[in-house]
Coordinates of all heavy atoms in Angstrom, one line a residue:
M1 N -153.7 -70.2 103.8 CA -154.3 -71.5 103.4 C -155.6 -71.2 102.5 O -156.4 -70.4 102.9 CB -154.6 -72.3 104.6 CG -155.3 -73.6 104.3 SD -155.6 -74.6 105.8 CE -154.1 -75.4 106.0
T2 N -155.7 -71.9 101.4 CA -156.9 -71.6 100.5 C -157.9 -72.7 100.8 O -157.6 -73.9 101.1 CB -156.5 -71.7 99.1 OG1 -155.9 -72.9 98.7 CG2 -155.5 -70.5 98.7
N3 N -159.1 -72.4 100.6 CA -160.2 -73.3 100.7 C -160.4 -74.1 99.4 O -160.7 -73.5 98.4 CB -161.5 -72.5 101.1 CG -162.7 -73.4 101.3 OD1 -162.7 -74.6 101.0 ND2 -163.7 -72.8 101.9
K4 N -160.2 -75.4 99.4 CA -160.3 -76.2 98.2 C -161.7 -76.1 97.6 O -161.8 -76.2 96.4 CB -159.9 -77.6 98.5 CG -158.4 -77.8 98.8 CD -158.1 -79.2 99.0 CE -156.6 -79.4 99.3 NZ -156.2 -80.8 99.5
S5 N -162.7 -76.0 98.5 CA -164.1 -76.1 97.9 C -164.4 -74.9 97.1 O -165.2 -74.9 96.2 CB -165.1 -76.2 99.1 OG -165.0 -75.0 99.9
S6 N -163.6 -73.7 97.3 CA -163.9 -72.6 96.4 C -163.4 -72.8 95.0 O -163.9 -72.0 94.1 CB -163.2 -71.3 97.0 OG -161.8 -71.5 97.0
N7 N -162.6 -73.7 94.7 CA -162.1 -74.0 93.4 C -162.9 -75.0 92.7 O -162.7 -75.3 91.5 CB -160.6 -74.5 93.5 CG -159.7 -73.5 94.0 OD1 -159.9 -72.3 93.8 ND2 -158.6 -73.9 94.7
Q8 N -163.9 -75.7 93.4 CA -164.7 -76.7 92.8 C -165.9 -76.1 92.1 O -166.5 -75.1 92.6 CB -165.1 -77.7 93.8 CG -164.0 -78.5 94.4 CD -164.4 -79.4 95.5 OE1 -165.5 -79.4 96.0 NE2 -163.5 -80.2 96.0
V9 N -166.4 -76.7 91.1 CA -167.6 -76.3 90.4 C -168.8 -76.8 91.3 O -168.8 -77.9 91.7 CB -167.7 -77.0 89.0 CG1 -169.0 -76.6 88.3 CG2 -166.5 -76.5 88.2
P10 N -169.8 -75.9 91.5 CA -170.9 -76.3 92.4 C -171.8 -77.4 91.7 O -171.8 -77.4 90.4 CB -171.7 -75.0 92.5 CG -171.2 -74.1 91.6 CD -169.8 -74.5 91.1
F11 N -172.4 -78.2 92.5 CA -173.2 -79.2 91.9 C -174.5 -78.6 91.3 O -175.0 -77.6 91.8 CB -173.7 -80.2 93.0 CG -172.6 -81.1 93.5 CD1 -172.3 -81.2 94.9 CD2 -171.8 -81.9 92.7 CE1 -171.3 -82.0 95.4 CE2 -170.9 -82.7 93.1 CZ -170.6 -82.8 94.5
S12 N -175.0 -79.2 90.2 CA -176.2 -78.8 89.7 C -177.4 -79.3 90.6 O -177.2 -80.2 91.4 CB -176.4 -79.4 88.3 OG -176.6 -80.8 88.4
K13 N -178.5 -78.6 90.4 CA -179.7 -79.0 91.2 C -180.0 -80.5 91.0 O -180.4 -81.2 91.9 CB -180.9 -78.2 90.9 CG -180.7 -76.7 91.2 CD -181.3 -76.4 92.5 CE -181.3 -74.9 92.7 NZ -181.2 -74.6 94.1
E14 N -179.9 -80.9 89.7 CA -180.2 -82.3 89.4 C -179.2 -83.3 90.1 O -179.6 -84.3 90.7 CB -180.1 -82.6 87.9 CG -180.4 -84.0 87.5 CD -180.4 -84.1 86.0 OE1 -180.9 -83.3 85.3 OE2 -179.8 -85.1 85.5
H15 N -177.9 -82.9 90.1 CA -176.9 -83.7 90.8 C -177.2 -83.8 92.3 O -177.0 -84.8 92.9 CB -175.5 -83.2 90.5 CG -174.4 -84.1 91.0 ND1 -174.1 -84.1 92.3 CD2 -173.6 -84.9 90.3 CE1 -173.1 -85.0 92.5 NE2 -172.8 -85.5 91.3
E16 N -177.5 -82.6 92.8 CA -177.8 -82.6 94.3 C -179.0 -83.5 94.6 O -179.0 -84.2 95.6 CB -178.1 -81.2 94.7 CG -176.9 -80.3 94.8 CD -177.3 -78.9 95.3 OE1 -178.2 -78.7 96.0 OE2 -176.5 -77.9 94.8
A17 N -180.1 -83.5 93.8 CA -181.2 -84.3 94.0 C -180.9 -85.8 93.9 O -181.3 -86.6 94.7 CB -182.3 -84.0 93.0
L18 N -180.0 -86.1 92.9 CA -179.6 -87.5 92.8 C -178.8 -87.9 94.0 O -178.9 -89.1 94.5 CB -178.7 -87.7 91.5 CG -179.5 -87.6 90.2 CD1 -178.5 -87.6 89.0 CD2 -180.5 -88.8 90.1
E19 N -177.9 -87.1 94.5 CA -177.1 -87.4 95.7 C -178.0 -87.5 96.9 O -177.8 -88.4 97.7 CB -176.1 -86.3 96.0 CG -175.2 -86.4 97.2 CD -174.4 -87.7 97.2 OE1 -174.2 -88.4 96.2 OE2 -174.0 -88.1 98.3
I20 N -179.0 -86.7 97.1 CA -179.9 -86.9 98.2 C -180.7 -88.2 98.1 O -180.8 -88.9 99.1 CB -180.9 -85.7 98.3 CG1 -180.1 -84.4 98.7 CG2 -182.1 -86.0 99.2 CD1 -180.9 -83.1 98.6
D21 N -181.1 -88.5 96.9 CA -181.8 -89.8 96.7 C -180.9 -91.0 97.1 O -181.3 -92.0 97.7 CB -182.3 -90.0 95.3 CG -183.5 -89.2 95.0 OD1 -184.2 -88.7 95.9 OD2 -183.8 -89.0 93.8
R22 N -179.6 -90.9 96.7 CA -178.6 -91.9 97.0 C -178.4 -92.1 98.5 O -178.4 -93.2 99.0 CB -177.3 -91.6 96.3 CG -176.2 -92.8 96.5 CD -174.8 -92.3 96.1 NE -174.3 -91.3 97.0 CZ -173.9 -91.6 98.3 NH1 -173.9 -92.8 98.8 NH2 -173.4 -90.6 99.0
Q23 N -178.3 -90.9 99.2 CA -178.1 -91.0 100.6 C -179.4 -91.5 101.3 O -179.3 -92.2 102.3 CB -177.8 -89.6 101.1 CG -176.4 -89.2 100.8 CD -176.0 -87.8 101.4 OE1 -176.5 -87.4 102.4 NE2 -175.1 -87.1 100.8
K24 N -180.6 -91.2 100.8 CA -181.8 -91.7 101.4 C -181.8 -93.2 101.2 O -182.2 -93.9 102.2 CB -183.0 -91.1 100.7 CG -183.3 -89.7 101.1 CD -184.5 -89.2 100.4 CE -184.8 -87.7 100.8 NZ -186.0 -87.2 100.0
Q25 N -181.5 -93.7 100.1 CA -181.5 -95.2 99.9 C -180.4 -95.9 100.8 O -180.7 -96.9 101.3 CB -181.2 -95.5 98.4 CG -182.3 -95.2 97.5 CD -183.6 -96.0 97.8 OE1 -183.5 -97.2 98.1 NE2 -184.7 -95.3 97.8
Q26 N -179.3 -95.2 100.9 CA -178.2 -95.8 101.8 C -178.7 -95.8 103.2 O -178.5 -96.8 104.0 CB -176.9 -95.0 101.6 CG -175.8 -95.5 102.4 CD -174.5 -94.7 102.3 OE1 -174.5 -93.6 101.8 NE2 -173.4 -95.3 102.7
A27 N -179.3 -94.7 103.7 CA -179.8 -94.6 105.0 C -180.9 -95.7 105.3 O -180.9 -96.4 106.3 CB -180.4 -93.2 105.3
L28 N -181.8 -95.9 104.3 CA -182.9 -96.9 104.4 C -182.3 -98.3 104.5 O -182.7 -99.1 105.3 CB -183.8 -96.8 103.3 CG -185.1 -97.6 103.3 CD1 -185.9 -97.3 104.6 CD2 -186.0 -97.3 102.1
S29 N -181.2 -98.5 103.8 CA -180.5 -99.8 103.8 C -179.9 -100.1 105.2 O -180.0 -101.1 105.7 CB -179.5 -99.9 102.7 OG -178.8 -101.1 102.8
I30 N -179.2 -99.0 105.7 CA -178.6 -99.2 107.0 C -179.6 -99.4 108.1 O -179.5 -100.3 108.9 CB -177.7 -97.9 107.3 CG1 -176.5 -97.9 106.4 CG2 -177.3 -97.9 108.8 CD1 -175.8 -96.5 106.4
L31 N -180.7 -98.6 108.0 CA -181.7 -98.8 109.1 C -182.4 -100.1 108.9 O -182.8 -100.8 109.9 CB -182.8 -97.7 108.9 CG -182.3 -96.3 109.3 CD1 -183.3 -95.2 109.0 CD2 -182.0 -96.2 110.8
G32 N -182.6 -100.6 107.7 CA -183.2 -101.9 107.5 C -182.3 -103.0 108.1 O -182.8 -104.0 108.7
D33 N -181.0 -102.9 108.0 CA -180.1 -103.9 108.5 C -180.2 -103.9 110.1 O -180.2 -104.9 110.7 CB -178.6 -103.6 108.1 CG -178.4 -103.9 106.6 OD1 -179.2 -104.6 106.0 OD2 -177.4 -103.4 106.1
V34 N -180.2 -102.7 110.6 CA -180.3 -102.5 112.1 C -181.6 -103.1 112.6 O -181.7 -103.8 113.6 CB -180.1 -101.1 112.5 CG1 -180.4 -100.9 114.0 CG2 -178.6 -100.6 112.2
W35 N -182.7 -102.8 111.8 CA -184.0 -103.3 112.2 C -184.0 -104.8 112.2 O -184.6 -105.4 113.1 CB -185.0 -102.7 111.2 CG -186.4 -103.0 111.5 CD1 -187.1 -104.1 111.3 CD2 -187.3 -102.0 112.1 NE1 -188.4 -104.0 111.8 CE2 -188.6 -102.7 112.2 CE3 -187.2 -100.7 112.4 CZ2 -189.7 -102.0 112.7 CZ3 -188.3 -100.1 112.9 CH2 -189.6 -100.7 113.1
D36 N -183.5 -105.4 111.2 CA -183.5 -106.9 111.1 C -182.7 -107.5 112.2 O -183.1 -108.5 112.8 CB -182.8 -107.3 109.7 CG -183.7 -107.0 108.5 OD1 -185.0 -106.8 108.7 OD2 -183.2 -107.0 107.4
Q37 N -181.6 -106.8 112.6 CA -180.7 -107.3 113.7 C -181.5 -107.2 115.0 O -181.5 -108.2 115.8 CB -179.4 -106.5 113.8 CG -178.5 -107.0 114.9 CD -178.0 -108.5 114.7 OE1 -177.6 -108.8 113.6 NE2 -178.2 -109.3 115.7
A38 N -182.2 -106.1 115.2 CA -183.0 -106.0 116.5 C -184.1 -107.0 116.5 O -184.4 -107.6 117.6 CB -183.5 -104.5 116.6
S39 N -184.7 -107.2 115.4 CA -185.8 -108.2 115.3 C -185.2 -109.6 115.6 O -185.8 -110.4 116.4 CB -186.5 -108.2 113.9 OG -187.5 -109.1 113.8
D40 N -184.1 -109.9 115.0 CA -183.5 -111.2 115.2 C -183.1 -111.4 116.7 O -183.0 -112.5 117.2 CB -182.2 -111.4 114.3 CG -182.6 -111.5 112.9 OD1 -183.7 -111.8 112.5 OD2 -181.6 -111.4 112.0
D41 N -182.7 -110.3 117.3 CA -182.3 -110.3 118.8 C -183.5 -110.4 119.7 O -183.4 -110.4 120.9 CB -181.5 -109.1 119.1 CG -180.1 -109.2 118.5 OD1 -179.7 -110.2 118.0 OD2 -179.4 -108.1 118.5
G42 N -184.8 -110.4 119.1 CA -186.0 -110.6 119.9 C -186.6 -109.3 120.3 O -187.6 -109.3 121.1
M43 N -186.2 -108.2 119.7 CA -186.9 -106.9 120.1 C -188.3 -106.9 119.6 O -188.6 -107.3 118.4 CB -186.1 -105.7 119.4 CG -186.7 -104.4 119.6 SD -186.7 -103.7 121.2 CE -185.0 -103.5 121.5
N44 N -189.2 -106.5 120.4 CA -190.6 -106.4 120.1 C -190.8 -105.3 119.0 O -190.3 -104.2 119.1 CB -191.4 -105.9 121.3 CG -192.9 -105.8 121.0 OD1 -193.3 -104.8 120.4 ND2 -193.7 -106.6 121.6
I45 N -191.4 -105.7 117.9 CA -191.5 -104.8 116.7 C -192.3 -103.6 117.0 O -192.0 -102.5 116.5 CB -192.2 -105.6 115.5 CG1 -191.3 -106.7 115.1 CG2 -192.4 -104.6 114.3 CD1 -189.9 -106.3 114.6
D46 N -193.3 -103.6 117.9 CA -194.1 -102.4 118.2 C -193.2 -101.4 119.0 O -193.2 -100.2 118.7 CB -195.3 -102.7 119.1 CG -196.4 -103.4 118.3 OD1 -196.4 -103.3 117.0 OD2 -197.3 -104.0 118.9
C47 N -192.4 -102.0 119.9 CA -191.4 -101.1 120.7 C -190.4 -100.5 119.7 O -190.1 -99.3 119.8 CB -190.7 -101.9 121.8 SG -191.8 -102.4 123.1
L48 N -189.9 -101.3 118.8 CA -188.9 -100.8 117.9 C -189.5 -99.7 117.0 O -188.9 -98.7 116.7 CB -188.4 -102.0 117.0 CG -187.3 -101.7 116.0 CD1 -186.0 -101.2 116.7 CD2 -186.9 -103.0 115.3
S49 N -190.7 -100.0 116.5 CA -191.4 -99.0 115.6 C -191.6 -97.7 116.4 O -191.4 -96.6 115.8 CB -192.8 -99.5 115.2 OG -192.6 -100.7 114.5
H50 N -192.1 -97.7 117.6 CA -192.3 -96.5 118.4 C -191.0 -95.7 118.6 O -191.0 -94.5 118.5 CB -193.1 -96.8 119.7 CG -194.5 -97.1 119.5 ND1 -195.5 -96.1 119.4 CD2 -195.2 -98.2 119.3 CE1 -196.7 -96.6 119.2 NE2 -196.5 -97.9 119.1
A51 N -190.0 -96.5 118.9 CA -188.7 -95.9 119.2 C -188.1 -95.2 117.9 O -187.6 -94.1 117.9 CB -187.7 -96.9 119.7
A52 N -188.3 -95.9 116.8 CA -187.9 -95.3 115.5 C -188.7 -94.1 115.1 O -188.1 -93.1 114.7 CB -188.0 -96.4 114.4
L53 N -190.0 -94.1 115.3 CA -190.8 -92.9 115.1 C -190.4 -91.7 116.0 O -190.3 -90.6 115.5 CB -192.3 -93.2 115.2 CG -192.9 -94.0 114.1 CD1 -194.3 -94.5 114.5 CD2 -192.9 -93.2 112.8
F54 N -190.2 -92.0 117.3 CA -189.8 -91.0 118.2 C -188.5 -90.4 117.7 O -188.3 -89.1 117.7 CB -189.7 -91.5 119.6 CG -189.2 -90.5 120.6 CD1 -190.1 -89.6 121.1 CD2 -187.9 -90.3 120.9 CE1 -189.7 -88.6 122.0 CE2 -187.4 -89.4 121.7 CZ -188.3 -88.5 122.3
Q55 N -187.5 -91.2 117.4 CA -186.2 -90.7 117.0 C -186.3 -89.9 115.7 O -185.7 -88.8 115.6 CB -185.2 -91.9 116.8 CG -183.8 -91.4 116.4 CD -183.1 -90.6 117.4 OE1 -183.2 -91.0 118.6 NE2 -182.5 -89.5 117.1
A56 N -187.1 -90.4 114.8 CA -187.2 -89.6 113.5 C -187.9 -88.3 113.7 O -187.4 -87.2 113.3 CB -188.0 -90.5 112.5
L57 N -189.0 -88.3 114.5 CA -189.7 -87.0 114.7 C -188.9 -86.1 115.5 O -188.9 -84.8 115.2 CB -191.1 -87.3 115.3 CG -192.1 -88.0 114.4 CD1 -193.3 -88.5 115.2 CD2 -192.5 -87.1 113.2
S58 N -188.3 -86.5 116.6 CA -187.5 -85.6 117.4 C -186.3 -85.0 116.6 O -186.0 -83.8 116.8 CB -187.0 -86.3 118.7 OG -186.2 -87.4 118.4
S59 N -185.7 -85.8 115.7 CA -184.7 -85.3 114.9 C -185.2 -84.2 113.9 O -184.6 -83.2 113.7 CB -184.0 -86.4 114.1 OG -183.3 -87.2 115.0
L60 N -186.4 -84.5 113.3 CA -187.0 -83.5 112.4 C -187.4 -82.2 113.2 O -187.2 -81.1 112.6 CB -188.2 -84.1 111.7 CG -187.9 -85.2 110.7 CD1 -189.2 -85.9 110.3 CD2 -187.2 -84.6 109.5
V61 N -187.9 -82.3 114.4 CA -188.3 -81.2 115.2 C -187.0 -80.3 115.5 O -187.0 -79.1 115.4 CB -189.0 -81.5 116.5 CG1 -189.1 -80.4 117.4 CG2 -190.4 -82.1 116.2
L62 N -185.9 -81.0 115.8 CA -184.7 -80.3 116.1 C -184.2 -79.5 114.8 O -183.7 -78.4 114.9 CB -183.6 -81.3 116.5 CG -182.3 -80.7 117.0 CD1 -182.4 -79.8 118.2 CD2 -181.3 -81.9 117.3
A63 N -184.3 -80.2 113.7 CA -183.8 -79.5 112.4 C -184.8 -78.5 111.9 O -184.3 -77.5 111.4 CB -183.6 -80.6 111.4
Y64 N -186.1 -78.7 112.0 CA -187.1 -77.8 111.2 C -188.1 -77.1 112.1 O -188.8 -76.3 111.6 CB -187.8 -78.7 110.2 CG -186.9 -79.3 109.2 CD1 -186.6 -80.7 109.2 CD2 -186.3 -78.5 108.2 CE1 -185.8 -81.2 108.3 CE2 -185.4 -79.1 107.3 CZ -185.2 -80.5 107.3 OH -184.4 -81.0 106.4
G65 N -188.2 -77.5 113.4 CA -189.1 -76.9 114.3 C -190.4 -77.7 114.4 O -190.8 -78.4 113.5
E66 N -191.1 -77.4 115.5 CA -192.4 -78.2 115.7 C -193.4 -77.9 114.7 O -194.1 -78.8 114.3 CB -192.9 -77.9 117.1 CG -191.9 -78.4 118.2 CD -192.3 -77.9 119.6 OE1 -193.0 -76.9 119.7 OE2 -191.8 -78.6 120.6
E67 N -193.6 -76.6 114.3 CA -194.7 -76.3 113.4 C -194.5 -77.0 112.0 O -195.5 -77.5 111.5 CB -194.8 -74.8 113.2 CG -196.0 -74.3 112.4 CD -196.2 -72.8 112.4 OE1 -195.7 -72.1 113.3 OE2 -196.8 -72.4 111.4
S68 N -193.3 -76.9 111.5 CA -193.1 -77.6 110.2 C -193.3 -79.1 110.3 O -193.8 -79.7 109.3 CB -191.6 -77.3 109.7 OG -191.5 -75.9 109.5
V69 N -192.8 -79.7 111.3 CA -193.0 -81.1 111.5 C -194.5 -81.5 111.7 O -195.0 -82.5 111.1 CB -192.1 -81.7 112.6 CG1 -192.4 -83.2 112.8 CG2 -190.6 -81.4 112.3
A70 N -195.2 -80.7 112.4 CA -196.6 -80.9 112.6 C -197.4 -80.8 111.2 O -198.2 -81.7 111.0 CB -197.2 -79.9 113.6
K71 N -197.0 -79.9 110.4 CA -197.6 -79.8 109.1 C -197.3 -81.0 108.2 O -198.1 -81.5 107.5 CB -197.1 -78.5 108.4 CG -197.7 -77.3 108.9 CD -197.2 -76.0 108.2 CE -197.8 -74.8 108.9 NZ -197.2 -73.5 108.3
F72 N -196.0 -81.4 108.3 CA -195.6 -82.7 107.6 C -196.4 -83.9 108.0 O -196.9 -84.6 107.2 CB -194.1 -82.9 107.8 CG -193.7 -84.3 107.4 CD1 -193.4 -84.5 106.0 CD2 -193.4 -85.3 108.3 CE1 -193.0 -85.8 105.6 CE2 -193.0 -86.6 107.9 CZ -192.8 -86.8 106.5
C73 N -196.6 -84.0 109.4 CA -197.4 -85.1 109.9 C -198.8 -85.1 109.5 O -199.5 -86.1 109.4 CB -197.2 -85.2 111.4 SG -195.5 -85.7 111.9
N74 N -199.4 -83.9 109.3 CA -200.8 -83.7 108.9 C -201.0 -84.4 107.6 O -202.1 -84.8 107.3 CB -201.2 -82.3 108.8 CG -201.6 -81.7 110.2 OD1 -201.9 -82.5 111.1 ND2 -201.4 -80.4 110.3
D75 N -200.0 -84.5 106.7 CA -200.1 -85.1 105.4 C -199.9 -86.6 105.4 O -200.2 -87.3 104.4 CB -199.1 -84.5 104.4 CG -199.4 -83.0 104.1 OD1 -200.6 -82.6 104.2 OD2 -198.4 -82.3 103.7
L76 N -199.5 -87.1 106.5 CA -199.1 -88.6 106.6 C -200.3 -89.5 106.3 O -200.2 -90.5 105.6 CB -198.5 -88.9 107.9 CG -197.0 -88.4 108.0 CD1 -196.5 -88.8 109.4 CD2 -196.1 -89.1 107.0
P77 N -201.5 -89.2 106.9 CA -202.6 -90.2 106.6 C -202.9 -90.3 105.1 O -203.1 -91.5 104.7 CB -203.8 -89.5 107.3 CG -203.2 -88.7 108.5 CD -201.9 -88.2 107.9
N78 N -202.9 -89.2 104.4 CA -203.2 -89.3 102.9 C -202.0 -90.1 102.2 O -202.3 -90.9 101.4 CB -203.3 -87.9 102.3 CG -204.6 -87.3 102.7 OD1 -205.6 -87.9 103.0 ND2 -204.6 -86.0 102.8
R79 N -200.8 -89.8 102.6 CA -199.7 -90.5 102.0 C -199.7 -92.0 102.3 O -199.3 -92.8 101.5 CB -198.4 -89.8 102.5 CG -198.2 -88.4 101.9 CD -196.9 -87.8 102.3 NE -195.8 -88.5 101.6 CZ -194.6 -88.3 101.8 NH1 -194.2 -87.5 102.8 NH2 -193.7 -89.0 101.2
I80 N -200.1 -92.3 103.5 CA -200.1 -93.7 103.9 C -201.2 -94.4 103.1 O -201.0 -95.5 102.5 CB -200.4 -93.9 105.4 CG1 -199.2 -93.4 106.2 CG2 -200.8 -95.3 105.8 CD1 -199.4 -93.2 107.7
M81 N -202.4 -93.8 103.0 CA -203.5 -94.4 102.2 C -203.2 -94.4 100.7 O -203.7 -95.3 100.0 CB -204.8 -93.5 102.5 CG -205.3 -93.6 103.9 SD -205.6 -95.3 104.5 CE -206.9 -95.8 103.5
C82 N -202.3 -93.6 100.2 CA -201.9 -93.6 98.8 C -200.8 -94.6 98.6 O -200.4 -94.9 97.4 CB -201.5 -92.2 98.4 SG -202.8 -91.1 98.2
G83 N -200.3 -95.3 99.6 CA -199.3 -96.3 99.5 C -197.9 -95.8 99.5 O -197.0 -96.6 99.2
D84 N -197.7 -94.6 99.9 CA -196.3 -94.1 99.9 C -195.3 -94.8 100.8 O -194.1 -94.8 100.6 CB -196.3 -92.6 100.3 CG -196.8 -91.7 99.2 OD1 -197.1 -92.2 98.1 OD2 -196.8 -90.4 99.5
Y85 N -195.9 -95.5 101.8 CA -195.1 -96.2 102.8 C -195.3 -97.7 102.7 O -194.9 -98.5 103.6 CB -195.4 -95.7 104.2 CG -195.0 -94.2 104.3 CD1 -195.9 -93.3 104.2 CD2 -193.7 -93.9 104.5 CE1 -195.6 -91.9 104.3 CE2 -193.3 -92.5 104.6 CZ -194.3 -91.6 104.5 OH -193.9 -90.2 104.6
S86 N -195.9 -98.2 101.7 CA -196.2 -99.6 101.5 C -195.0 -100.2 100.7 O -194.8 -99.8 99.6 CB -197.5 -99.9 100.8 OG -198.6 -99.4 101.5
L87 N -194.3 -101.2 101.3 CA -193.2 -101.8 100.7 C -193.6 -102.7 99.5 O -192.8 -102.9 98.6 CB -192.4 -102.6 101.7 CG -191.7 -101.8 102.8 CD1 -191.0 -102.7 103.8 CD2 -190.8 -100.8 102.2
E88 N -194.8 -103.2 99.6 CA -195.3 -104.1 98.5 C -196.0 -103.4 97.4 O -196.5 -104.0 96.5 CB -196.3 -105.1 99.1 CG -195.7 -106.0 100.2 CD -194.6 -106.9 99.7 OE1 -194.7 -107.4 98.6 OE2 -193.6 -107.1 100.5
R89 N -196.0 -102.0 97.4 CA -196.6 -101.2 96.4 C -196.0 -101.4 95.1 O -194.8 -101.5 94.9 CB -196.5 -99.8 96.8 CG -197.2 -98.8 95.9 CD -197.2 -97.4 96.4 NE -195.9 -96.9 96.2 CZ -195.6 -95.6 96.0 NH1 -196.6 -94.7 96.1 NH2 -194.4 -95.2 95.8
K90 N -196.8 -101.5 94.1 CA -196.4 -101.6 92.7 C -196.4 -100.3 92.0 O -197.4 -99.6 92.0 CB -197.2 -102.6 91.9 CG -197.1 -104.0 92.4 CD -198.0 -105.0 91.7 CE -197.8 -106.4 92.3 NZ -198.8 -107.3 91.9
L91 N -195.3 -99.8 91.5 CA -195.2 -98.6 90.8 C -195.5 -98.8 89.3 O -195.2 -99.8 88.7 CB -193.8 -98.0 90.9 CG -193.3 -97.7 92.4 CD1 -191.9 -97.2 92.4 CD2 -194.2 -96.6 93.0
Q92 N -196.2 -97.8 88.7 CA -196.6 -97.9 87.3 C -195.8 -97.0 86.5 O -195.4 -95.9 86.9 CB -198.1 -97.7 87.2 CG -198.9 -98.7 87.9 CD -200.4 -98.5 87.6 OE1 -200.8 -97.8 86.7 NE2 -201.2 -99.1 88.4

């Protein structure tokens, strides 16, 4: 049996980056839908936020380790203050 993937042309770095961006947007859309449903069902937004942060951070720790995630988190205050997580932010 031959491996079909060995006959395929590898994706370019640009194509890979575009695919990752597409998947990020899709994931954000799915999470937004679930978030809206939980809110509509009466879930406390603070509880939902903490649960989402815990899930995200624990998944990152599992994938990258505590030290890498801690370094990532050290940059969060600056990114927050720069508007990286503001939905109403205007891009120029």
Side-chain angles (χ1 to χ4, degrees):
M1 180 178 271
T2 60
N3 184 346
K4 290 183 180 181
S5 64
S6 64
N7 297 330
Q8 295 176 352
V9 176
F11 289 127
S12 69
K13 295 263 187 210
E14 182 178 315
H15 188 284
E16 286 180 31
L18 290 172
E19 177 61 16
I20 289 171
D21 285 345
R22 185 194 67 75
Q23 288 185 26
K24 286 179 181 179
Q25 288 299 318
Q26 184 179 15
L28 190 57
S29 177
I30 290 167
L31 290 173
D33 291 343
V34 171
W35 189 281
D36 290 343
Q37 182 63 49
S39 179
D40 290 347
D41 290 346
M43 175 69 65
N44 178 291
I45 296 301
D46 288 342
C47 293
L48 186 59
S49 299
H50 285 273
L53 284 170
F54 178 84
Q55 182 63 45
L57 291 171
S58 62
S59 294
L60 288 170
V61 167
L62 184 63
Y64 301 105
E66 292 170 340
E67 188 173 336
S68 293
V69 176
K71 287 178 183 176
F72 169 78
C73 289
N74 280 335
D75 293 336
L76 286 175
N78 290 332
R79 293 184 67 190
I80 291 167
M81 294 305 294
C82 288
D84 286 359
Y85 297 97
S86 297
L87 296 177
E88 301 295 322
R89 181 176 77 152
K90 294 180 181 166
L91 300 175
Q92 296 183 18

